[in-house]
């Protein structure tokens, strides 16, 4: 119940409303409750097998409401606003009322891409990361361009949606009632990392510079070193757990817990806590109020850790749940959704895990009519003696007539035709050098043999998409030549004689991009021709500049500096396809003085003491 709802309803009325709601949900009725804003607490899931959308009460660990939605698409997600819920499928968006528990309207999906869902004041929002678009649901249906591919979004309590551009390094925001995505801060192209929420402030963890900075104030905060060397493939949890932000290093099998509490309090942060993980493949981390939650996709388990790094609970995921995903609810619980909508695991704020079977509600037994009082007693009427049918007055007993019964006629059962296969199980993608090894378990054939598996992969930006068709007996393949630092979405779908089934999806990030570096040494000796008096051989020479790990095919401006009297406006150079460039420029001859070069993305070379010629 939203705060406004609590102010409008007294406690007794509130209890009555809850009772009515539960009755409506269980009986399948849809009596509207005008003006009622239902609570955001809890989580809605889609169950295509049941053609139902169900509300999971995280506190009670129960399914408390259901909405029939015909033709639910496999892989559908559900996001909720104050009064409506939205089923997000590949081809359509279905809006349903949370008070009348019925479908209100169906809209075409703006993209076949699976969006990130954000429940926030002013929303909810769909963020199509690869397309670089934000869709605001609610009374309207507004699509807002962000200008380029996006990282994982987060939202603060005031309803502001925070985004980061993965191509340019821009930090962007969409205010609660704004109609434009505004990008005001630029980290520079090539910077990797992700957004998170520390307390109620948006922060950016920069894995290129190994810093954290606040982005939600009037002006961006200064970067603060986190004393940990993070790789570009590091995955950032979208919120803190008791002041610690979880960072997963998937290739190193490590979990780092950054001291966001100290950062938010304006003091020097404590050193990160490091947790070594068992060998395996893990999903992006998330957090409940005071625990970190991971999915171990290799062993199909949920792992929870305290903010001190100590393990709290390991729980097996039901095998029929399909490919699971983690969803952080508005109640600061984490919900582990099964890919097929058959089970939900609820992770409480303290890290304890409970299973909630997804079952439709049962209609209550019909009410019985009150018993009528018995009529006044009357003396029994005299009945004539019954004549037994098997006794004749003038002879012995006769057997009763034989009644011939025919065997029941049964309708011949028609064989159930095959249907498309189930979802491939336990899909994993593991980086091996610059290649990715993709493995999966067999998909259910559904009364027909699986004849093929179709594997597709698509990078988050640029070229490199591909596809392959494998035999029905295949359980693995290799995708060769992943681009450094680029995340690929990998999809595997099974096919049989009835068609293609539900796809399984995972992600894998290419090899780590080297940190951007600039080095300066003495280059070719010469004389500064415009004014030999300023710089002449043999002490005068060009600076030899080597640039590595920058964004590929991008122009940067480089400026030389000196710990002395020196002025040079610098020059621009463009990196190659590997993000590197080497050049000689900037005449310099101050022997014994320190020289260095900076780029316009903030990267600076070490200081180099100029030698004599």
């Amino acid at each position: 119940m939203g705060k406004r709802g609590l102010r409008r309803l007294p406690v007794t009325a509130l209890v009555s409303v809850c009772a009515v709601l539960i009755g409506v949900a269980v009986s399948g009725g849809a009596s509207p409750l005008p003006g009622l804003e239902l609570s955001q607490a809890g989580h809605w899931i889609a169950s295509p097998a049941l053609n139902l959308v169900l509300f999971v009460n995280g506190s009670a660990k129960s399914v408390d409401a259901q909405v029939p939605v015909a033709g639910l698409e496999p892989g559908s997600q559900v996001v909720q606003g104050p009064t409506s819920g939205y089923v997000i499928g590949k081809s359509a968006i279905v809006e349903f009322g949370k008070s009348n528990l019925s479908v209100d309207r169906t809209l075409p999906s703006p993209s076949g891409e699976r969006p990130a869902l954000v429940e926030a004041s002013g929303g909810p929002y769909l963020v199509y990361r690869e397309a670089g678009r934000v869709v605001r649901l609610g009374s309207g249906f507004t699509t807002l361009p962000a200008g380029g591919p996006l990282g994982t979004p987060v939202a603060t309590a005031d309803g502001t949606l925070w985004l980061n551009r993965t191509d340019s390094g821009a930090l962007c925001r969409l205010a609660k009632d704004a109609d434009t995505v505004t990008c005001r801060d630029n980290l520079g192209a090539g910077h990797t990392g992700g957004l998170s929420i520390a307390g109620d402030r948006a922060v950016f963890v920069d894995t290129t510079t190994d810093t954290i900075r606040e982005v939600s104030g009037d002006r961006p905060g200064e970067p603060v070193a986190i004393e940990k060397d993070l790789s570009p493939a590091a995955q950032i949890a979208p919120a803190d757990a008791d002041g610690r932000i979880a960072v997963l290093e998937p290739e190193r099998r490590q979990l780092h817990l950054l001291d966001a509490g100290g950062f938010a309090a304006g003091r020097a942060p404590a050193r990160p806590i490091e947790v070594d993980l068992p060998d395996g493949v893990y999903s992006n981390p998330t957090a409940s109020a005071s625990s970190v939650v991971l999915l171990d996709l290799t062993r199909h388990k949920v792992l929870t850790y305290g903010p001190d790094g100590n393990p709290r609970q390991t729980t097996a995921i039901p095998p029929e749940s399909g490919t699971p995903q983690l969803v952080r609810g508005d109640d600061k619980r984490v919900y582990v959704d099964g890919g097929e909508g058959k089970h939900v695991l609820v992770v409480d704020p303290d890290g304890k895990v409970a299973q909630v079977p997804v079952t439709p509600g049962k209609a209550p037994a019909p009410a019985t009519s009150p018993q009528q009082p018995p009529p006044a007693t009357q003396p029994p009427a005299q009945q004539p003696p019954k004549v037994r049918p098997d006794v004749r007055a003038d002879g012995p007993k006769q057997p009763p007539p034989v009644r011939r019964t025919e065997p029941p006629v049964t309708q011949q059962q028609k064989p159930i035709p095959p249907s498309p296969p189930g979802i491939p199980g336990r899909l994993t993608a593991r980086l091996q050098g610059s290649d990715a090894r993709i493995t999966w378990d067999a998909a259910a054939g559904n009364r027909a043999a699986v004849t093929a598996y179709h594997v597709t992969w698509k990078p988050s930006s640029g070229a490199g998409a591909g596809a392959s068709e494998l035999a029905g007996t295949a359980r693995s393949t290799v995708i060769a030549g992943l681009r450094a630092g680029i995340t690929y979405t990998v999809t595997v779908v099974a096919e049989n004689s009835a068609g293609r089934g539900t796809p399984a999806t995972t992600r894998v990030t290419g090899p780590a991009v080297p940190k951007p570096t600039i080095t300066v040494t003495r280059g070719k000796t010469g004389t500064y021709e415009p004014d030999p008096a300023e710089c002449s051989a043999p002490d005068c020479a060009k600076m030899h500049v080597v640039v590595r790990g920058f964004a590929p095919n991008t122009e940067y401006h480089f400026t030389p500096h000196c710990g002395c009297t020196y002025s040079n406006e610098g020059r621009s150079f463009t990196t190659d396809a590997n993000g590197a460039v080497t050049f000689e420029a900037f005449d310099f001859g101050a022997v014994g003085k320190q020289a260095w070069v900076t780029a316009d993305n903030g990267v600076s070379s070490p200081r180099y003491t100029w030698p004599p010629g």
Side-chain angles (χ1 to χ4, degrees):
M1 180 76 64
K3 292 182 178 178
R4 287 182 293 166
L6 286 173
R7 286 196 295 266
R8 288 199 298 265
L9 294 175
V11 173
T12 53
L14 185 60
V15 171
S16 299
V17 166
C18 293
V20 170
L21 278 176
I22 294 173
V24 168
V26 172
S27 64
S31 301
L33 299 174
L36 181 64
E37 291 190 1
L38 302 188
S39 172
Q40 296 287 91
H43 175 58
W44 290 89
I45 67 163
S47 177
L50 300 172
N51 276 328
L52 290 174
V53 178
L54 305 106
F55 182 75
V56 178
N57 183 325
S59 177
K61 310 298 184 294
S62 62
V63 174
D64 284 1
Q66 62 186 43
V67 181
V69 181
L72 267 181
E73 295 179 277
S76 292
Q77 308 174 88
V78 187
V79 64
Q80 63 174 328
T83 59
S84 294
Y86 303 85
V87 185
I88 314 301
K90 187 173 183 179
S91 62
I93 297 176
V94 178
E95 180 180 358
F96 62 89
K98 292 166 59 176
S99 58
N100 60 20
L101 299 178
S102 64
V103 172
D104 292 337
R105 59 175 175 166
T106 300
L107 303 166
S109 175
S111 171
E113 177 189 342
R114 185 179 177 92
L117 310 183
V118 182
E119 294 176 351
S121 176
Y125 297 96
L126 312 180
V127 179
Y128 293 91
R129 297 174 53 192
E130 295 180 16
R133 286 183 288 174
V134 178
V135 174
R136 177 190 281 131
L137 302 173
S139 58
F141 188 92
T142 308
T143 300
L144 305 168
L150 300 166
T152 302
V154 298
T156 41
D158 62 358
T160 302
L161 186 68
W162 296 93
L163 310 148
N164 69 292
R165 288 267 300 274
T166 57
D167 56 347
S168 65
L171 296 172
C172 309
R173 64 177 176 176
L174 175 63
K176 177 179 177 179
D177 298 317
D179 294 327
T180 304
V181 177
T182 303
C183 300
R184 62 176 187 177
D185 307 320
N186 200 317
L187 300 170
H191 279 244
T192 56
L195 290 161
S196 186
I197 299 294
D200 188 41
R201 293 189 282 184
V203 299
F204 186 82
V205 178
D206 192 327
T207 60
T208 300
T209 59
D210 296 330
T211 58
I212 182 172
R213 62 187 291 189
E214 182 182 353
V215 300
S216 59
D218 294 333
R219 301 185 64 182
E222 291 297 322
V224 176
I226 57 179
E227 299 185 35
K228 180 60 65 176
D229 183 17
L230 301 177
S231 74
Q235 300 168 356
I236 318 300
D240 70 300
D242 271 353
R244 290 277 178 171
I245 294 178
V247 178
L248 173 68
E249 288 282 10
E251 296 307 313
R252 301 173 187 172
R253 308 293 184 268
Q254 289 181 332
L255 184 68
H256 305 305
L257 303 177
L258 310 183
D259 180 18
F263 169 80
R267 58 176 172 79
R271 290 187 61 83
I273 297 171
E274 187 171 299
V275 179
D276 291 324
L277 301 172
D279 188 43
V281 177
Y282 296 88
S283 69
N284 288 19
T286 190
S288 63
S290 59
S291 64
V292 177
V293 187
L294 284 177
L295 284 182
D296 181 343
L297 300 175
T298 302
R299 283 162 287 274
H300 224 54
K301 293 182 177 179
V302 180
L303 311 179
T304 61
Y305 294 86
D308 55 2
N310 290 324
R312 287 187 169 172
Q313 189 167 331
T314 299
T315 306
I317 301 171
E320 67 271 27
S321 293
T323 302
Q325 64 175 342
L326 297 177
V327 179
R328 177 182 164 96
D330 191 64
D331 55 359
K332 295 188 178 181
R333 290 181 172 85
V334 173
Y335 296 83
V336 187
D337 288 0
E340 298 177 3
K342 295 182 178 178
H343 287 84
V344 175
L345 299 180
V346 180
V347 183
D348 280 332
D350 60 1
K352 293 182 179 179
V353 185
Q355 179 178 325
V356 180
V358 176
T359 55
K362 297 180 180 179
T368 56
S369 301
Q371 288 187 332
Q372 299 296 327
T377 56
Q378 300 289 338
Q382 296 294 323
Q383 299 293 335
K386 292 184 179 180
V387 178
R388 295 178 60 188
D390 58 345
V391 176
R392 294 179 58 180
D394 59 348
K397 291 183 179 179
Q398 301 292 327
V402 176
R403 295 185 177 181
R404 299 184 179 272
T405 59
E406 300 293 333
V409 178
T410 59
Q411 184 178 4
Q412 185 177 4
Q413 294 293 325
K414 295 182 179 180
I416 301 175
S419 58
I423 187 171
R426 300 176 187 259
L427 175 62
T428 61
R430 185 166 184 177
L431 193 66
Q432 297 178 339
S434 61
D435 301 337
R437 179 172 178 79
I438 314 300
T439 61
W440 61 90
D441 289 349
N446 292 339
R447 297 173 298 282
V450 173
T451 56
Y453 286 96
H454 299 271
V455 182
T456 60
W457 55 94
K458 182 179 179 182
S460 56
S461 62
S468 64
E469 180 178 340
L470 306 172
T473 56
R475 298 294 180 268
S476 67
T477 189
V478 174
I479 302 173
L482 272 61
R483 291 157 51 203
I486 298 298
T487 298
Y488 291 74
T489 299
V490 181
T491 300
V492 178
V493 61
E495 182 178 14
N496 65 8
S497 59
R500 297 191 185 188
T502 302
T505 301
T506 189
R507 289 187 176 188
V508 61
T509 300
V513 177
K515 287 185 179 291
T517 60
I518 305 173
T519 58
V520 175
T521 56
R522 180 187 172 98
K524 183 179 179 180
T525 300
T527 297
Y528 180 56
E529 294 300 335
D531 189 355
E534 285 191 12
C535 189
S536 59
D539 294 334
C540 186
K542 300 287 187 184
M543 293 185 187
H544 182 81
V545 182
V546 178
V547 178
R548 295 288 184 270
F550 278 47
N553 304 313
T554 303
E555 183 181 85
Y556 293 91
H557 190 80
F558 299 90
T559 305
H561 306 274
C562 169
C564 59
T565 302
Y566 179 76
S567 177
N568 191 307
E569 62 184 9
R571 288 178 58 185
S572 294
F573 295 89
T574 300
T575 57
D576 61 17
N578 296 317
V581 63
T582 300
F583 59 89
E584 291 201 354
F586 319 136
D587 296 280
F588 191 79
V591 175
K593 300 296 184 180
Q594 291 184 328
W596 67 96
V597 170
T598 61
D600 57 0
N601 65 351
V603 178
S604 179
S605 73
R607 301 195 176 199
Y608 174 71
T609 302
W610 198 258

